[in-house]
C-alpha cells in the first residue's frame, strides 16, 4: 500500500506475529543448546578470579590449561568458562600483572566443575606475564572501535584540580572531541551528546559530565572497567546512532573496611567501602557496600586561589553513589545501587544553568548449576531534570544564527525505567548470547516563545522501546574471530520496528599483525532540543518523536519515517612489531541518513519547530601506546570531517574539528614507584562559527502606542554565511606530580601538585558580538591536593 503522510505521523505498526516469531526462535535456540550440553562428550571448568585482599572480581585475567591451547580471559565480572575439554588431568594456570601466579592440578571429567580462585598481590614485577595476558586478549577479541578504560589508565592523567577524572581521560581517546574547558561537550566521531549512550551498571545516565567539562559524575576510584565504543558496536546495545559508554563499578571491599579521603583546591571526596558479611571460604555468602561522595566548591575557592580570573569559576556540583552487593559462594550475585548527581553554574553574563539526576536500581548475575551459561540483568529507574534561566541571556554572545531573544527559562525532564536480560552460553572457544531490553520513559520540555506576548509551550511524550538481540562469537583457532549480531528494535511511539544487522571481524595475520572490521545499522528515537547555533551548549531539551515533525524535508523530499538512523563501517589494523609498543590504526565512516534538529529557519509561531537533516562523519585515527616498566607514553592523532545537509545548505556543525592531537606521558620512579609525573598536551584545529557581517540600529516595537521618535534604538547585527568562519586553534599543556608516602600496610598518603594550561595560552571561549570582547577558556591554574588511602 502506498505511503500516505499525515499530520500526526502515525506510521504503520509492525505485525504482531513478527515479535512472536523472534521469541519462538530464541526459545528454540535455548532448547537446542541445553540439549547439546546434556549429551556432550567433553568436560569443562568455570569459576571466578578474585583479589584475595579485597574480594573484588578481577577482569581480564588469563586462565589457561598449561601445555594446551585451552585458555580464556576472565570477563568484566571476573568470570571464566572453559568448555569442550577432553577428559583427563591438567594443570590450571592463572596469571595477572602484579599478582602471584597460581598453578593447580585439576581433573576434567564428563561434566563442568567449578573453581574459584583468589590471587595474592606479588612483590615481584611481572611485566612479561602482562604481555602474555594482553597478547591473548587482543587475539581473541575483535576490539574494533572500542577502548577499555581502567582506573590505572585514569591515574596516569595529569590531576587537574588535584584528582584525575574519567571525563579528562575520555578527551584523549581517538575520535572524541571536546568543545571546551567550560561548558564543553563530548562529540564522538560525528555524534552529538544525545546520540551517545552511557550505561552505569546497566542503567541509563542522561548527563554524565559536569558543566566545567573537566569532571564527570563518576568517582574514578569505584570504576571497575569502562568500555567506550566509538562506533560499530554490537547487537547488545541499541537506541543510539553514534556511540556507547558501558561503565561497571566495583562491588566494594569484601574483606575489610577501606576508603579514601581527598581534599584539593577544586573540591573534596570521601570514598568508603567494606563488608557487612566478610567473604571467606567458610561462608556461603558475602555482603559488601561502597559509598562515594564528591563535590566541588570551585565557585568559592576560585576567589581565593585564582583572584586573577574575572568573576571566578562559577561551578559547583555534588555527587552521591552507593551500592550494596550480595554474592553467593558460586559467584552468583545481586547488587542494589542508587545515585544523586547535582550540578549548577552561574554565568553572570550568560545564564544560570542547573541539572539534577537521581536513580536507583538492581543488577544480578546468575551462574546456573553445571551449565556453561551465565545470566545477567538490570532493572532501574532514573529521573533527570534540567533548567536554564536566561534572564541575563545575551543573544549576541551565544547565538550564531539569529537575533531572536528568548527572555524566559527553559526546562526539561526525562524519567523512566530500563530493564534488560542477557543469556551467554559458552561453547569451546566460542560463545552465544541473546537477550531483551525494555525502556519506558516520559520526556517533558517546557519553553517560551516571545513575540511581543509570552507564550508557554509544553510537550510531554510517553515512550516505550523494546529491543531483542542475538549475537554469536566464533573463534577459529585464534586465527579468525567472527561476531555477527542482530538487533530488532521496536519504537512504540512511532509504531515502527527497525531490523539492525551488525558484524565484527578480526583476522590475526600473525600474533603481531591483526586486521579488524566492524559495522552495522543503528536507530534512535530520542531527540535533543538543542541548537548547533550555540557556541556554548548548556541546555538540552528532551523529546521523543515530536508530534509536529514535518512530512517533508526542506528540499521537498518526502520523509517516510521520523526514526533517526545511521550506518557505520570501521576498518582497523593492530601492530605489535615494535617492542613494548602497540600501534592501532582505524578508519571510519558514519552515514547519518535521518537526523532531527531544531528548525533554524523558523520565523513565525505557526511554522514547525523541527526539521530533518542528513549528515556524514568520516576520518581516521592512529594511536601509539608505549609501556615499559614505569614509563607510559601515548600519542594519538585524529583526522576527521563532519558534514550536514538540512535540505537547503551543506554546512559543517560547530564541533567539526579537522585535526586533533593528544600526547600523554606518565613516569613512575623511586622506591615502590612512589613518585609519579604526568603530562598531557592537546592540540585541536579551530571549530567552525558564523561570522558577523554588519551592524545596524534596531527599533524594538513592543506596542502600538510607542513613540518611535523618542524611543532608544539598540545595536543589532547581520550574520555572514552559516559556520563559514574558523575559530583559532586550541592547545593546552597540563602537568602534575605526585608523591606517595606508605604508612604501614594499608595506609598511603598522596601529595600532589598540578598546573593546567602551563604556558597560559588564550583559547577562545566566546566573543561578544556587540562589544567585540573576547572571553577565553581556562587560564593557567595551579592545584594542590592531599589524599589518604586506608
Amino acid at each position: 500500500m502506498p505511503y500516505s503522510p499525515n499530520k500526526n505521523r502515525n506510521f504503520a505498526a509492525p505485525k504482531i506475529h513478527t515479535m512472536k516469531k523472534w521469541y519462538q526462535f530464541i526459545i528454540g535456540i535455548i532448547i537446542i543448546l541445553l540439549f547439546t550440553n546434556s549429551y556432550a562428550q567433553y568436560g569443562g571448568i568455570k569459576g571466578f578470579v578474585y583479589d584475595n585482599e579485597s574480594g573484588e572480581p578481577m577482569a581480564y585475567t588469563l586462565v589457561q590449561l598449561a601445555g594446551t591451547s585451552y585458555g580464556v580471559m576472565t570477563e568484566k565480572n571476573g568470570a571464566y568458562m572453559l568448555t569442550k575439554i577432553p577428559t583427563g588431568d591438567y594443570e590450571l594456570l592463572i596469571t595477572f600483572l602484579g599478582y602471584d601466579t597460581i598453578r593447580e592440578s585439576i581433573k576434567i571429567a564428563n561434566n563442568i566443575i567449578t573453581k574459584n580462585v583468589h590471587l595474592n598481590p606479588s612483590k615481584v614485577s611481572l611485566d612479561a606475564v602482562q604481555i602474555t595476558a594482553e597478547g591473548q586478549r587482543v587475539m581473541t577479541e575483535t576490539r574494533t572501535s572500542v577502548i577499555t578504560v581502567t582506573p590505572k589508565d585514569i591515574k596516569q592523567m595529569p590531576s587537574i584540580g588535584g584528582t584525575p577524572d574519567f571525563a579528562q581521560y575520555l578527551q584523549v581517546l581517538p575520535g572524541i572531541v571536546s568543545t571546551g574547558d567550560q561548558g564543553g561537550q563530548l562529540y564522538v566521531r560525528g555524534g552529538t551528546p544525545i546520540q551517545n549512550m552511557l550505561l552505569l551498571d546497566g542503567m541509563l545516565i542522561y548527563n554524565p559530565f559536569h558543566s566545567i567539562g573537566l569532571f564527570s559524575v563518576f568517582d574514578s576510584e569505584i570504576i571497575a572497567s569502562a568500555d567506550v565504543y566509538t562506533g560499530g558496536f554490537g547487537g547488545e546495545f541499541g537506541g543510539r546512532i553514534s556511540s556507547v559508554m558501558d561503565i561497571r563499578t566495583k562491588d566494594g571491599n569484601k574483606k575489610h573496611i577501606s576508603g579514601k579521603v581527598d581534599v584539593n583546591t577544586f573540591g573534596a571526596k570521601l570514598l568508603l567501602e567494606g563488608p557487612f558479611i566478610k567473604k571467606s571460604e567458610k561462608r556461603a555468602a558475602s555482603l559488601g557496600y561502597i559509598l562515594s561522595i564528591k563535590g566541588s566548591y570551585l565557585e568559592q575557592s576560585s576567589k581565593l586561589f585564582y583572584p586573577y580570573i574575572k568573576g571566578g569559576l562559577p561551578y559547583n556540583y555534588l555527587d552521591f553513589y552507593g551500592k550494596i552487593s550480595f554474592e553467593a559462594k558460586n559467584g552468583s550475585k545481586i547488587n542494589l545501587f542508587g545515585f544523586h548527581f547535582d550540578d549548577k553554574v552561574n554565568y553572570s553574563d550568560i545564564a544560570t544553568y542547573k541539572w539534577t539526576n537521581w536513580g536507583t536500581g538492581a543488577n544480578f548475575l546468575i551462574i546456573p548449576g553445571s551449565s556453561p551459561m551465565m545470566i545477567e540483568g538490570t532493572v532501574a529507574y532514573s529521573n533527570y531534570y534540567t533548567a536554564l534561566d536566561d534572564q541575563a541571556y545575551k543573544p549576541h554572545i551565544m547565538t550564531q544564527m539569529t537575533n531572536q531573544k528568548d527572555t524566559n527559562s527553559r526546562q526539561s525532564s526525562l524519567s523512566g525505567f530500563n530493564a534488560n536480560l542477557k543469556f551467554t552460553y559458552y561453547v569451546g572457544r566460542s560463545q552465544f548470547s541473546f537477550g531483551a531490553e525494555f525502556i519506558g520513559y516520559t520526556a517533558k520540555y517546557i519553553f517560551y516563545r516571545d513575540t511581543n506576548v509570552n507564550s508557554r509551550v509544553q510537550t510531554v511524550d510517553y515512550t516505550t522501546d523494546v529491543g531483542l538481540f542475538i549475537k554469536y562469537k566464533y573463534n577459529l583457532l585464534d586465527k579468525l574471530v567472527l561476531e555477527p549480531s542482530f538487533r530488532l528494535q521496536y519504537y512504540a511511539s512511532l509504531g515502527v520496528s527497525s531490523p539492525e544487522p551488525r558484524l565484527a571481524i578480526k583476522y590475526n595475520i600473525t600474533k603481531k599483525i591483526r586486521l579488524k572490521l566492524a559495522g552495522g545499522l543503528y536507530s534512535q528515537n530520542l531527540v535533543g532540543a538543542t541548537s548547533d547555533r550555540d557556541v556554548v551548549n548548556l541546555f538540552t531539551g528532551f523529546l521523543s518523536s515530536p508530534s509536529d515533525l514535518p512530512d517533508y524535508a526542506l528540499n521537498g523530499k518526502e520523509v517516510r519515517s521520523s526514526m533517526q538512523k545511521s550506518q557505520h563501517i570501521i576498518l582497523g589494523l593492530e601492530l605489535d612489531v615494535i617492542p613494548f609498543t602497540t600501534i592501532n590504526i582505524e578508519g571510519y565512516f558514519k552515514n547519518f541518513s535521518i537526523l532531527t534538529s531544531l528548525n533554524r529557519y523558523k520565523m513565525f509561531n505557526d511554522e514547525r519547530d523541527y526539521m530533518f537533516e542528513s549528515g556524514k562523519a568520516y576520518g581516521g585515527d592512529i594511536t601509539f601506546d608505549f609501556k615499559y616498566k614505569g614509563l607510559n607514553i601515548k600519542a594519538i592523532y585524529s583526522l576527521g570531517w563532519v558534514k550536514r545537509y538540512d535540505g537547503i545548505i551543506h554546512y559543517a556543525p560547530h564541533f567539526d574539528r579537522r585535526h586533533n592531537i593528544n600526547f600523554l606521558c606518565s613516569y613512575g620512579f623511586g622506591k615502590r614507584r612512589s613518585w609519579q609525573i604526568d603530562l598531557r598536551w592537546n592540540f585541536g584545529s579551530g571549530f567552525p562559527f558564523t561570522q558577523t557581517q554588519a551592524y545596524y540600529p534596531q527599533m524594538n516595537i513592543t506596542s502600538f502606542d510607542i513613540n518611535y521618535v523618542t524611543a532608544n534604538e539598540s545595536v543589532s547585527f547581520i550574520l555572514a554565511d552559516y559556520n563559514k568562519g574558523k575559530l583559532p586553534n586550541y592547545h593546552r599543556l597540563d602537568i602534575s606530580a605526585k608523591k606517595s608516602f606508605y604508612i604501614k600496610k594499608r595506609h598511603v598518603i598522596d601529595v600532589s601538585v598540578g598546573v593546567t594550561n602551563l604556558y597560559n595560552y588564550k583559547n577562545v571561549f566566546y566573543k561578544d558580538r556587540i562589544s567585540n570582547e573576547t572571553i577565553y577558556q581556562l587560564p593557567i591554574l595551579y592545584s594542590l591536593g592531599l589524599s589518604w588511602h586506608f
Side-chain angles (χ1 to χ4, degrees), residues 557-585:
K557 184 179 179 181
E558 183 182 56
V559 179
R560 294 182 174 273
S561 173
S562 61
M563 180 171 56
Q564 300 177 94
K565 296 180 180 180
S566 70
Q567 303 82 40
H568 301 182
I569 183 70
I570 297 103
L571 296 171
L573 174 65
E574 294 175 350
L575 301 171
D576 297 333
V577 293
I578 303 175
F580 312 108
T581 304
T582 297
I583 302 173
N584 185 71
I585 304 170

mmCIF file of all heavy atoms in Angstrom, residues 557-585:
data_model
loop_
_atom_site.group_PDB
_atom_site.id
_atom_site.type_symbol
_atom_site.label_atom_id
_atom_site.label_comp_id
_atom_site.label_asym_id
_atom_site.label_seq_id
_atom_site.Cartn_x
_atom_site.Cartn_y
_atom_site.Cartn_z
ATOM 1 N N LYS A 557 11.689 16.704 -0.269
ATOM 2 C CA LYS A 557 11.700 15.248 -0.326
ATOM 3 C C LYS A 557 10.840 14.670 0.791
ATOM 4 O O LYS A 557 10.931 15.076 1.945
ATOM 5 C CB LYS A 557 13.135 14.734 -0.206
ATOM 6 C CG LYS A 557 13.260 13.221 -0.344
ATOM 7 C CD LYS A 557 14.717 12.790 -0.246
ATOM 8 C CE LYS A 557 14.850 11.281 -0.364
ATOM 9 N NZ LYS A 557 16.264 10.846 -0.257
ATOM 10 N N GLU A 558 10.000 13.702 0.447
ATOM 11 C CA GLU A 558 9.102 13.084 1.411
ATOM 12 C C GLU A 558 9.897 12.224 2.400
ATOM 13 O O GLU A 558 10.814 11.489 2.022
ATOM 14 C CB GLU A 558 8.076 12.219 0.681
ATOM 15 C CG GLU A 558 7.042 11.599 1.603
ATOM 16 C CD GLU A 558 6.067 10.711 0.844
ATOM 17 O OE1 GLU A 558 6.514 9.778 0.152
ATOM 18 O OE2 GLU A 558 4.863 10.988 0.935
ATOM 19 N N VAL A 559 9.566 12.335 3.690
ATOM 20 C CA VAL A 559 10.211 11.556 4.738
ATOM 21 C C VAL A 559 9.234 10.483 5.200
ATOM 22 O O VAL A 559 8.169 10.787 5.737
ATOM 23 C CB VAL A 559 10.621 12.452 5.929
ATOM 24 C CG1 VAL A 559 11.262 11.614 7.026
ATOM 25 C CG2 VAL A 559 11.573 13.537 5.464
ATOM 26 N N ARG A 560 9.594 9.234 4.994
ATOM 27 C CA ARG A 560 8.680 8.140 5.285
ATOM 28 C C ARG A 560 8.739 7.683 6.737
ATOM 29 O O ARG A 560 7.852 6.975 7.205
ATOM 30 C CB ARG A 560 8.956 6.954 4.369
ATOM 31 C CG ARG A 560 8.655 7.248 2.902
ATOM 32 C CD ARG A 560 8.907 6.025 2.034
ATOM 33 N NE ARG A 560 8.481 6.276 0.660
ATOM 34 C CZ ARG A 560 7.262 6.076 0.206
ATOM 35 N NH1 ARG A 560 6.326 5.626 1.025
ATOM 36 N NH2 ARG A 560 6.959 6.321 -1.056
ATOM 37 N N SER A 561 9.781 8.025 7.448
ATOM 38 C CA SER A 561 9.897 7.626 8.852
ATOM 39 C C SER A 561 10.648 8.705 9.602
ATOM 40 O O SER A 561 11.640 9.236 9.111
ATOM 41 C CB SER A 561 10.645 6.290 8.972
ATOM 42 O OG SER A 561 10.907 5.991 10.331
ATOM 43 N N SER A 562 10.166 9.058 10.786
ATOM 44 C CA SER A 562 10.840 10.072 11.600
ATOM 45 C C SER A 562 11.903 9.466 12.502
ATOM 46 O O SER A 562 12.521 10.177 13.295
ATOM 47 C CB SER A 562 9.814 10.822 12.448
ATOM 48 O OG SER A 562 9.155 9.935 13.331
ATOM 49 N N MET A 563 12.113 8.163 12.425
ATOM 50 C CA MET A 563 13.134 7.497 13.221
ATOM 51 C C MET A 563 14.521 7.882 12.717
ATOM 52 O O MET A 563 14.805 7.781 11.512
ATOM 53 C CB MET A 563 12.934 5.987 13.133
ATOM 54 C CG MET A 563 13.926 5.168 13.928
ATOM 55 S SD MET A 563 13.428 3.429 13.940
ATOM 56 C CE MET A 563 13.322 3.105 12.169
ATOM 57 N N GLN A 564 15.374 8.333 13.614
ATOM 58 C CA GLN A 564 16.736 8.706 13.237
ATOM 59 C C GLN A 564 17.558 7.447 12.967
ATOM 60 O O GLN A 564 17.481 6.472 13.713
ATOM 61 C CB GLN A 564 17.372 9.542 14.347
ATOM 62 C CG GLN A 564 16.603 10.829 14.628
ATOM 63 C CD GLN A 564 17.199 11.604 15.772
ATOM 64 O OE1 GLN A 564 18.018 12.497 15.583
ATOM 65 N NE2 GLN A 564 16.788 11.271 16.988
ATOM 66 N N LYS A 565 18.372 7.488 11.923
ATOM 67 C CA LYS A 565 19.099 6.296 11.507
ATOM 68 C C LYS A 565 20.542 6.634 11.150
ATOM 69 O O LYS A 565 20.856 7.749 10.744
ATOM 70 C CB LYS A 565 18.432 5.656 10.283
ATOM 71 C CG LYS A 565 17.021 5.139 10.522
ATOM 72 C CD LYS A 565 16.457 4.522 9.256
ATOM 73 C CE LYS A 565 15.043 4.009 9.466
ATOM 74 N NZ LYS A 565 14.495 3.392 8.222
ATOM 75 N N SER A 566 21.401 5.620 11.308
ATOM 76 C CA SER A 566 22.787 5.763 10.869
ATOM 77 C C SER A 566 23.326 4.403 10.457
ATOM 78 O O SER A 566 22.794 3.359 10.844
ATOM 79 C CB SER A 566 23.663 6.360 11.971
ATOM 80 O OG SER A 566 23.851 5.425 13.025
ATOM 81 N N GLN A 567 24.408 4.449 9.675
ATOM 82 C CA GLN A 567 25.098 3.247 9.238
ATOM 83 C C GLN A 567 26.594 3.457 9.473
ATOM 84 O O GLN A 567 27.132 4.512 9.122
ATOM 85 C CB GLN A 567 24.829 2.956 7.757
ATOM 86 C CG GLN A 567 23.343 2.805 7.405
ATOM 87 C CD GLN A 567 22.629 4.139 7.203
ATOM 88 O OE1 GLN A 567 23.191 5.064 6.617
ATOM 89 N NE2 GLN A 567 21.405 4.256 7.700
ATOM 90 N N HIS A 568 27.258 2.447 10.057
ATOM 91 C CA HIS A 568 28.674 2.567 10.405
ATOM 92 C C HIS A 568 29.496 1.523 9.660
ATOM 93 O O HIS A 568 29.042 0.397 9.440
ATOM 94 C CB HIS A 568 28.910 2.336 11.903
ATOM 95 C CG HIS A 568 28.191 3.267 12.801
ATOM 96 N ND1 HIS A 568 28.322 3.216 14.182
ATOM 97 C CD2 HIS A 568 27.320 4.287 12.565
ATOM 98 C CE1 HIS A 568 27.549 4.149 14.736
ATOM 99 N NE2 HIS A 568 26.941 4.798 13.765
ATOM 100 N N ILE A 569 30.731 1.892 9.340
ATOM 101 C CA ILE A 569 31.735 0.939 8.877
ATOM 102 C C ILE A 569 33.088 1.407 9.416
ATOM 103 O O ILE A 569 33.452 2.579 9.260
ATOM 104 C CB ILE A 569 31.761 0.803 7.338
ATOM 105 C CG1 ILE A 569 32.756 -0.255 6.908
ATOM 106 C CG2 ILE A 569 32.004 2.132 6.666
ATOM 107 C CD1 ILE A 569 32.360 -1.655 7.232
ATOM 108 N N ILE A 570 33.814 0.499 10.085
ATOM 109 C CA ILE A 570 35.127 0.826 10.660
ATOM 110 C C ILE A 570 36.111 -0.250 10.249
ATOM 111 O O ILE A 570 35.830 -1.453 10.373
ATOM 112 C CB ILE A 570 35.073 0.919 12.205
ATOM 113 C CG1 ILE A 570 34.143 2.055 12.641
ATOM 114 C CG2 ILE A 570 36.457 1.165 12.770
ATOM 115 C CD1 ILE A 570 32.809 1.593 13.123
ATOM 116 N N LEU A 571 37.269 0.150 9.760
ATOM 117 C CA LEU A 571 38.359 -0.748 9.410
ATOM 118 C C LEU A 571 39.555 -0.423 10.289
ATOM 119 O O LEU A 571 39.834 0.755 10.566
ATOM 120 C CB LEU A 571 38.740 -0.601 7.936
ATOM 121 C CG LEU A 571 37.676 -0.978 6.905
ATOM 122 C CD1 LEU A 571 38.137 -0.574 5.513
ATOM 123 C CD2 LEU A 571 37.382 -2.460 6.958
ATOM 124 N N GLY A 572 40.266 -1.471 10.726
ATOM 125 C CA GLY A 572 41.381 -1.217 11.624
ATOM 126 C C GLY A 572 42.542 -2.169 11.425
ATOM 127 O O GLY A 572 42.416 -3.256 10.847
ATOM 128 N N LEU A 573 43.713 -1.748 11.923
ATOM 129 C CA LEU A 573 44.933 -2.539 11.876
ATOM 130 C C LEU A 573 45.653 -2.385 13.206
ATOM 131 O O LEU A 573 45.880 -1.266 13.679
ATOM 132 C CB LEU A 573 45.831 -2.062 10.728
ATOM 133 C CG LEU A 573 47.220 -2.698 10.620
ATOM 134 C CD1 LEU A 573 47.114 -4.179 10.298
ATOM 135 C CD2 LEU A 573 48.059 -1.976 9.570
ATOM 136 N N GLU A 574 46.006 -3.512 13.824
ATOM 137 C CA GLU A 574 46.771 -3.514 15.071
ATOM 138 C C GLU A 574 48.170 -4.064 14.800
ATOM 139 O O GLU A 574 48.320 -5.114 14.159
ATOM 140 C CB GLU A 574 46.081 -4.384 16.128
ATOM 141 C CG GLU A 574 44.736 -3.856 16.582
ATOM 142 C CD GLU A 574 44.026 -4.805 17.534
ATOM 143 O OE1 GLU A 574 44.495 -5.956 17.702
ATOM 144 O OE2 GLU A 574 42.995 -4.394 18.110
ATOM 145 N N LEU A 575 49.179 -3.351 15.314
ATOM 146 C CA LEU A 575 50.570 -3.739 15.096
ATOM 147 C C LEU A 575 51.312 -3.776 16.428
ATOM 148 O O LEU A 575 51.260 -2.817 17.207
ATOM 149 C CB LEU A 575 51.262 -2.742 14.163
ATOM 150 C CG LEU A 575 50.655 -2.556 12.766
ATOM 151 C CD1 LEU A 575 51.324 -1.380 12.068
ATOM 152 C CD2 LEU A 575 50.806 -3.820 11.941
ATOM 153 N N ASP A 576 52.019 -4.898 16.672
ATOM 154 C CA ASP A 576 52.885 -5.022 17.844
ATOM 155 C C ASP A 576 54.320 -5.288 17.409
ATOM 156 O O ASP A 576 55.056 -6.030 18.056
ATOM 157 C CB ASP A 576 52.410 -6.171 18.749
ATOM 158 C CG ASP A 576 51.018 -5.932 19.308
ATOM 159 O OD1 ASP A 576 50.642 -4.757 19.436
ATOM 160 O OD2 ASP A 576 50.316 -6.916 19.607
ATOM 161 N N VAL A 577 54.717 -4.691 16.306
ATOM 162 C CA VAL A 577 56.011 -5.003 15.699
ATOM 163 C C VAL A 577 57.169 -4.294 16.393
ATOM 164 O O VAL A 577 58.330 -4.672 16.202
ATOM 165 C CB VAL A 577 55.985 -4.642 14.195
ATOM 166 C CG1 VAL A 577 55.020 -5.548 13.453
ATOM 167 C CG2 VAL A 577 55.599 -3.176 13.991
ATOM 168 N N ILE A 578 56.869 -3.255 17.177
ATOM 169 C CA ILE A 578 57.906 -2.535 17.918
ATOM 170 C C ILE A 578 57.840 -2.997 19.374
ATOM 171 O O ILE A 578 56.762 -3.051 19.960
ATOM 172 C CB ILE A 578 57.693 -1.012 17.837
ATOM 173 C CG1 ILE A 578 57.665 -0.558 16.374
ATOM 174 C CG2 ILE A 578 58.778 -0.273 18.604
ATOM 175 C CD1 ILE A 578 57.339 0.913 16.192
ATOM 176 N N PRO A 579 58.975 -3.354 19.982
ATOM 177 C CA PRO A 579 58.951 -3.842 21.362
ATOM 178 C C PRO A 579 58.260 -2.864 22.319
ATOM 179 O O PRO A 579 58.471 -1.651 22.237
ATOM 180 C CB PRO A 579 60.434 -4.000 21.708
ATOM 181 C CG PRO A 579 61.101 -4.191 20.388
ATOM 182 C CD PRO A 579 60.330 -3.369 19.409
ATOM 183 N N PHE A 580 57.413 -3.403 23.171
ATOM 184 C CA PHE A 580 56.699 -2.662 24.215
ATOM 185 C C PHE A 580 55.727 -1.621 23.654
ATOM 186 O O PHE A 580 55.275 -0.735 24.374
ATOM 187 C CB PHE A 580 57.681 -1.969 25.181
ATOM 188 C CG PHE A 580 58.772 -2.852 25.673
ATOM 189 C CD1 PHE A 580 60.076 -2.695 25.239
ATOM 190 C CD2 PHE A 580 58.494 -3.873 26.586
ATOM 191 C CE1 PHE A 580 61.089 -3.518 25.691
ATOM 192 C CE2 PHE A 580 59.506 -4.703 27.044
ATOM 193 C CZ PHE A 580 60.807 -4.535 26.602
ATOM 194 N N THR A 581 55.419 -1.712 22.363
ATOM 195 C CA THR A 581 54.590 -0.694 21.720
ATOM 196 C C THR A 581 53.451 -1.343 20.944
ATOM 197 O O THR A 581 53.648 -2.330 20.233
ATOM 198 C CB THR A 581 55.425 0.163 20.749
ATOM 199 O OG1 THR A 581 56.524 0.734 21.453
ATOM 200 C CG2 THR A 581 54.578 1.277 20.144
ATOM 201 N N THR A 582 52.260 -0.777 21.110
ATOM 202 C CA THR A 582 51.101 -1.181 20.323
ATOM 203 C C THR A 582 50.680 -0.007 19.446
ATOM 204 O O THR A 582 50.553 1.116 19.924
ATOM 205 C CB THR A 582 49.927 -1.589 21.231
ATOM 206 O OG1 THR A 582 50.311 -2.729 22.006
ATOM 207 C CG2 THR A 582 48.709 -1.951 20.401
ATOM 208 N N ILE A 583 50.486 -0.283 18.173
ATOM 209 C CA ILE A 583 50.021 0.727 17.224
ATOM 210 C C ILE A 583 48.638 0.317 16.746
ATOM 211 O O ILE A 583 48.440 -0.817 16.300
ATOM 212 C CB ILE A 583 50.980 0.869 16.036
ATOM 213 C CG1 ILE A 583 52.393 1.243 16.528
ATOM 214 C CG2 ILE A 583 50.469 1.923 15.046
ATOM 215 C CD1 ILE A 583 53.435 1.236 15.428
ATOM 216 N N ASN A 584 47.691 1.215 16.851
ATOM 217 C CA ASN A 584 46.332 0.951 16.406
ATOM 218 C C ASN A 584 45.924 2.004 15.376
ATOM 219 O O ASN A 584 45.995 3.205 15.649
ATOM 220 C CB ASN A 584 45.366 0.965 17.579
ATOM 221 C CG ASN A 584 43.957 0.569 17.170
ATOM 222 O OD1 ASN A 584 43.693 -0.589 16.859
ATOM 223 N ND2 ASN A 584 43.037 1.517 17.165
ATOM 224 N N ILE A 585 45.514 1.558 14.196
ATOM 225 C CA ILE A 585 45.104 2.453 13.119
ATOM 226 C C ILE A 585 43.665 2.111 12.746
ATOM 227 O O ILE A 585 43.352 0.935 12.511
ATOM 228 C CB ILE A 585 46.018 2.308 11.889
ATOM 229 C CG1 ILE A 585 47.482 2.546 12.275
ATOM 230 C CG2 ILE A 585 45.599 3.273 10.786
ATOM 231 C CD1 ILE A 585 48.471 2.200 11.175
#
